[in-house]
Amino acid sequence: MAHQAQAEETGIRPGLPPLPPLGLRLSGTYAAFFLAMGIQVPYLPLWLQDRGVGPEAIGVALAVPMLARLVSTPLLGVLSDRLGRPKAMLVALALAAAGGMAALAVSVEFFGILVALAFTALAWMPSLSLLDSYTSRQARAGRADYGSARQWGSAAFLVANLVGGALLGLLGASSVVLMMLAGQLAYVLATFALPELPRPERRPAPVAGRRARLGLLAGIVAAALVQASHATLYAFATVNWKAQGYSLTAIGVLWAIGVAAEMGLFRFGTRLVVRFGPHALIAMGGVAAVVRFSAMAFDPPLVVLVPLQLLHAFTFAATFLAMVELVGRSVSEHRSGTGQTAAAWIGSILMSSANVASGPLWAALGPLAFLASAAVGLVGALAAILAARLQPHSSGSGG
């Protein structure tokens, strides 16, 4: 068994072609996961419309995966830690999500579509948090770099947006779920290529006590608030830019600049975490959100929008990376899956709340609704400072 685990980790398998290095396999796994995501986010509403689903029902259909994720994410995190086989859990969830997408592809009736969407989300959405847990454990063991692997998820998301749009023009809206399924099958293969991690010893958490737990919770909430500050951006930035007269090409470039910025941060983010610590990165992300969204509230020209989009490196990537690192430092290895999925669960709740609020705010205020986004980012920065003050600084605590 030990020889098999070593062979999987090194990629050397007697009598078989060697596997790529672990870092490359992890990068490929993130890329494969985000291929399907990069099709689903922009194009699934078109598929629903092609199935004859009306606007109000589309809103319901898109809400179902979010609700399903809130139910399954923490439960699957606990289950993964109880089983002690994170690679096997990733494979099982990838296969289940692929089955859900296959069922979705042949669904016609609205109820069947809702059931397929819910089943897919139950398995698919928590997979990213469990993959983050798996990768952070490999990183803490010195076998991989989380940021370097995660950047390829962002790259694949962008490629899927662009290539998916081109294929959609050729194949029609009915091809959307089939493209999602193709990406998911690639993710299934990628998870099979990962090595299984040994069951960790049950040890006390690196930080313990009521103050430390409160500090961890404050840090997670801080990162989740900065992430939630993007809700208005995701929902209405394209609408607003188009109203300002920017072409779809220019708008696409603006979004691509943001993705490129987050890739750059992920690429070198580990050095930043080591240098400044996760709390400082979250605070930087919150301050960047204040600057970014305060400026966007006043419809800045294109020459200003470009550097504002570059701030996505801090408002999104830095806070996400810092949250994963904060949980990894604060939670025992045998509870890594529980910790990462709990953080994702808190983030989902705050993002969902911000999404609900963004519509009425935009209807009432227009672009000035971005000032509310700036306020949420500011609260996130202040929460990060509070979390840093609550962090224990005793030897070995990670402080």
Side-chain angles (χ1 to χ4, degrees), residues 292-307:
R292 183 184 187 186
F293 298 128
S294 295
M296 288 189 66
F298 300 99
D299 287 339
L302 191 62
V303 69
V304 177
L305 281 174
V306 169

Side-chain angles (χ1 to χ4, degrees), residues 134-220:
Y134 176 93
T135 307
S136 66
R137 285 181 61 186
Q138 294 283 20
R140 298 193 77 77
R143 295 188 288 264
D145 182 284
Y146 173 82
S148 295
R150 177 61 178 79
Q151 67 172 324
W152 294 107
S154 300
F157 186 88
L158 180 59
V159 169
N161 286 175
L162 299 174
V163 176
L167 290 175
L168 192 63
L170 294 173
L171 304 175
S174 61
S175 66
V176 169
V177 176
L178 293 177
M179 288 190 282
M180 289 171 55
L181 178 58
Q184 183 64 20
L185 291 175
Y187 178 64
V188 170
L189 295 177
T191 57
F192 270 111
L194 296 175
E196 184 61 274
L197 285 167
R199 183 185 291 273
E201 297 180 20
R202 300 180 67 87
R203 295 179 178 177
V207 293
R210 182 179 179 182
R211 181 186 177 94
R213 290 193 295 270
L214 186 60
L216 173 59
L217 177 61
I220 291 172

Side-chain angles (χ1 to χ4, degrees), residues 255-339:
W255 284 114
I257 288 171
V259 175
E262 77 179 58
M263 287 177 60
L265 193 289
F266 279 132
R267 177 67 180 86
F268 301 103
T270 300
R271 301 177 193 177
L272 293 177
V273 172
V274 172
R275 174 67 180 85
F276 297 105
H279 296 99
L281 277 189
I282 296 169
M284 290 178 194
V287 172
V290 173
V291 173
R292 183 184 187 186
F293 298 128
S294 295
M296 288 189 66
F298 300 99
D299 287 339
L302 191 62
V303 69
V304 177
L305 281 174
V306 169
L308 291 180
Q309 283 299 94
L310 289 174
L311 288 178
H312 197 66
F314 286 93
T315 61
F316 172 75
T319 55
F320 188 91
L321 179 64
M323 184 178 70
V324 172
E325 176 66 18
L326 178 63
V327 174
R329 291 184 181 188
S330 306
V331 176
S332 301
E333 190 176 11
H334 72 280
R335 291 183 175 172
S336 175
T338 301

Side-chain angles (χ1 to χ4, degrees), residues 329-354:
R329 291 184 181 188
S330 306
V331 176
S332 301
E333 190 176 11
H334 72 280
R335 291 183 175 172
S336 175
T338 301
Q340 296 294 348
T341 53
W345 184 73
I346 292 172
S348 295
I349 290 176
L350 290 179
M351 178 59 85
S352 299
S353 301

